[in-house]
Amino acid sequence: RDQNIVDVTSYEELKEVVKAGRWARGYWCGSDEDEVRVKEETQATLRCFPFDQPATGGACFLTGQPADEVAIFAKAY
């Protein structure tokens, strides 16, 4: 499982990772509408917010805004 999780910093990276059938992990501060957009454009959904979160924040891979949490997106099969 862990070998199939890829860290992403941009939406383009997420699309490539999901297209390859892997899971994308990145900082997320998106809204419900942003989540719907990701699902419509990639068929990937927000799968979880891992318990082990980084100590510092980063930039949301979709919006570029500051984000405190990391989320995992993937397709459901």
Side-chain angles (χ1 to χ4, degrees):
R1 175 199 70 188
D2 291 341
Q3 292 176 338
N4 283 314
I5 298 173
V6 178
D7 290 318
V8 298
T9 58
S10 72
Y11 189 44
E12 291 303 315
E13 288 178 339
L14 176 130
K15 289 192 264 188
E16 291 173 19
V17 167
V18 169
K19 186 176 180 180
R22 300 175 83 186
W23 300 1
R25 176 176 54 204
Y27 282 100
W28 176 251
C29 73
S31 65
D32 291 341
E33 293 81 18
D34 291 333
E35 191 173 340
V36 168
R37 174 185 167 201
V38 171
K39 182 177 181 181
E40 288 175 351
E41 294 179 4
T42 68
Q43 288 75 50
T45 56
L46 195 156
R47 308 309 292 170
C48 70
F49 289 96
F51 289 121
D52 294 327
Q53 291 286 325
T56 60
C60 175
F61 69 81
L62 183 66
T63 67
Q65 299 297 315
D68 295 326
E69 293 185 295
V70 169
I72 294 179
F73 283 79
K75 287 184 181 179
Y77 292 96

